[in-house]
Amino acid sequence: MKQWRAAITSLGRYVPERIVTNEDLRRMGVDTSDEWIRTRTGIEQRHVVEPGTPTSELALKAARDCLDRRGVAAGELDLIIVATVTPDMLFPSTACLLQDKLKAGKAWGFDISAACSGFLYALTQGAQFIETGAHRKVLVVGAEVMTTILDFQDRATCVLFGDGAGCVLLEPSPDETGILDFAHEVDGSGACFLNMPAGGSLKPATHETVDQRLHCVRQDGGHVFKYAVRQMAEAPRRLLERNKLTTEQIDVFVAHQANARIIDAASERLGLPARKVVKNIHKYGNTTAATIPLALGTALDEKRLRRNDLLMMAAVGAGFTVGAVLCRWTGFDWN
Ligand SMILES: CC(C)(COP(=O)(O)OP(=O)(O)OC[C@H]1O[C@@H](n2cnc3c(N)ncnc32)[C@H](O)[C@@H]1OP(=O)(O)O)[C@@H](O)C(=O)NCCC(=O)NCCS
């Protein structure tokens, strides 16, 4: 059977208009300062939805942007995969809600829950359907409304996150460019260090879970930080070795935007110079599954991602989940 290669042929994104600066957070009562947040995380501001805006709305706007840029109608989509930890509701999946809003009549779809690695897992999954020849048009979305699951009394966590969505279209590659390989792993023993304790079957919602703010992100920031630095360098290294490539051959590194210090430390471990590393965390904060497509957009805005470039993407998230994807950039018009 002929094996195709999956190419990223378009990209779309959406962030809500409302910007909340570090100073705004302080004014809202968070015991913090602009100086602390900037120096510890690199974040200057984040985009935040108007109350009541669900993840599927952000995903819809990003999806329309992506399809319009390519001139593809929603009705042509075969499959929609949405990576998110802030689905509109536990079920049905946000992919189903998006399919309906987009009017993507013939697409099937599902959600992937892998937190900050979600987009890369969804990308890998989507690529399989192109590679086998089963599908010709797959939409891969990372979308989050993180501000709905933040505890604004937990100052070490609430300052980190923002809302946003990004997505890519996968199609069979016209040539040798496209997604080359992936290296994913999970370490479920890390579940206790980063999670949302309540709202699932373990701790269904009760007055107590709400009073104790257990429907919010909980983390051991220091532990997550160390794990992320190590794995965000090791996963790409494994991928390079397997493909007999060297760090010098990477043209662009797009890492999950959790903390500028994590990105810097991982890049340094990999031996990547700053000019190859994409960062936009100062504008958006950590948008969980949306950071990688948003950062790809930034790389395109800055004209740092060109046809035939070797692109390494890497992420670490709750689980723990670890993901790295290697791609030879196919290129498309970007204005
Ligand atoms: C959360 C994180 C920014 C904290 O940075 P840090 O340098 O490790 O800071 P610490 O936790 O050691 O805290 C240092 C001090 O700052 C204080 N502090 C924490 N958050 C603060 C805030 N927003 N404003 C001001 N002070 C704050 C702490 O209370 C502590 O004070 P103390 O020394 O008096 O106890 C960092 O650990 C991190 O980014 N971890 C990864 C988290 C992450 O990315 N999660 C998502 C993964 S995808």
Side-chain angles (χ1 to χ4, degrees), residues 148-328:
T148 54
I149 57 166
L150 296 180
D151 174 358
F152 284 91
Q153 293 182 25
D154 174 2
R155 64 178 181 169
T157 305
C158 72
V159 300
L160 303 177
F161 293 94
D163 303 331
C167 63
V168 297
L169 181 66
L170 292 178
E171 295 182 87
S173 175
D175 47 40
E176 289 306 303
T177 64
I179 292 171
L180 305 179
D181 200 3
F182 67 92
H184 299 332
E185 70 178 57
V186 303
D187 176 3
S189 71
C192 52
F193 299 111
L194 179 56
N195 57 39
M196 188 170 87
S201 53
L202 177 66
K203 275 193 210 307
T206 60
H207 288 292
E208 287 73 33
T209 62
V210 172
D211 290 346
Q212 292 166 20
R213 293 189 291 279
L214 298 181
H215 297 269
C216 296
V217 182
R218 288 279 179 99
Q219 66 168 350
D220 174 340
H223 190 91
V224 174
F225 189 100
K226 285 182 214 128
Y227 185 85
V229 168
R230 197 172 69 243
Q231 289 288 18
M232 210 110 89
E234 274 178 21
R237 197 173 282 139
R238 277 200 303 281
L239 202 42
L240 287 174
E241 270 169 27
R242 201 162 69 201
N243 286 275
K244 301 191 172 33
L245 292 163
T246 61
T247 306
E248 290 70 43
Q249 289 170 280
I250 298 177
D251 297 298
V252 183
F253 183 49
V254 170
H256 169 54
Q257 311 280 307
N259 184 320
R261 286 161 54 219
I262 295 178
I263 301 170
D264 291 344
S267 317
E268 201 172 299
R269 279 180 180 219
L270 273 170
L272 280 169
R275 68 186 156 79
K276 293 188 173 184
V277 180
V278 178
K279 268 192 273 180
N280 64 10
I281 187 166
H282 57 289
K283 284 201 291 192
Y284 304 121
N286 181 350
T287 54
T288 304
T291 71
I292 301 250
L294 288 176
L296 288 174
T298 297
L300 291 168
D301 290 342
E302 295 173 354
K303 303 200 183 332
R304 294 167 66 189
L305 190 50
R306 296 194 170 84
R307 181 170 163 73
N308 281 319
D309 274 355
L310 190 63
L311 165 70
M312 177 67 80
M313 294 173 270
V316 170
F320 288 119
T321 55
V322 180
V325 173
L326 188 64
C327 180
R328 179 72 64 189

